[in-house]
Amino acid sequence: MLDRLRDTADLVATRPDAPECLPALRGVHRRLVDEVLPHEAAEERQLYPALAGPLGSEEATSAMSRTHVEISRLVDRIEGHLAQDRDGRLRRDEVPDLLAALYGLDAVLRLHLAQQEEDFFSLNPADGDGR
């Protein structure tokens, strides 16, 4: 998903008038809505409450919960662009905001995954350093 997101952002950045640009954007958005957002919601409902005890408090997952809010906000920004009437192509004036949303989402998702690995893998008693 991250590679496809980055590829789509690069396409919007370099060839926003290309006929494949809008379908690629729609495809990435669909995967975000169908896969990423439900995954994030499941973490909020199931994983984070279960980790409150081992991590010492509910506040231990608050930064990742905030990241979920930002992911959802950026997906909504992309959706707002896709909801506009158009002739099958992106408008030049919307490209900067789309790029901010796409590259921002890429950065937030990568950071979120890194935080999860660092925080949650530290709970693994497999070896002495928690990794």
Side-chain angles (χ1 to χ4, degrees), residues 28-71:
V28 162
H29 179 262
R30 177 59 33 221
R31 285 193 65 194
L32 289 164
V33 169
D34 290 349
E35 298 172 26
V36 174
L37 293 182
H39 173 81
E40 303 300 321
E43 285 181 351
E44 290 290 335
R45 279 190 323 272
Q46 299 168 333
L47 180 62
Y48 293 176
L51 290 173
L55 290 174
S57 74
E58 290 180 12
E59 287 79 31
T61 59
S62 64
M64 275 162 300
S65 289
R66 177 59 186 98
T67 304
H68 289 166
V69 172
E70 186 62 13
I71 290 167

Side-chain angles (χ1 to χ4, degrees), residues 4-27:
R4 191 161 174 203
L5 176 63
R6 174 61 74 148
D7 290 345
T8 300
D10 292 345
L11 179 62
V12 171
T14 59
R15 298 179 27 227
D17 295 329
E20 66 270 17
C21 194
L22 192 56
L25 186 60
R26 288 189 192 285

Side-chain angles (χ1 to χ4, degrees), residues 55-121:
L55 290 174
S57 74
E58 290 180 12
E59 287 79 31
T61 59
S62 64
M64 275 162 300
S65 289
R66 177 59 186 98
T67 304
H68 289 166
V69 172
E70 186 62 13
I71 290 167
S72 181
R73 186 184 73 77
L74 291 167
V75 171
D76 287 348
R77 268 174 67 184
I78 295 167
E79 184 173 348
H81 287 282
L82 291 173
Q84 297 178 25
D85 289 331
R86 59 185 72 252
D87 62 357
R89 297 187 188 266
L90 297 177
R91 292 189 335 261
R92 285 269 178 199
D93 65 330
E94 67 187 323
V95 169
D97 188 63
L98 269 170
L99 290 176
L102 291 165
Y103 285 126
L105 191 54
D106 179 70
V108 170
L109 284 168
R110 289 178 192 277
L111 175 63
H112 184 63
L113 292 171
Q115 287 174 319
Q116 285 181 330
E117 286 182 18
E118 288 177 15
D119 291 345
F120 301 156
F121 287 152

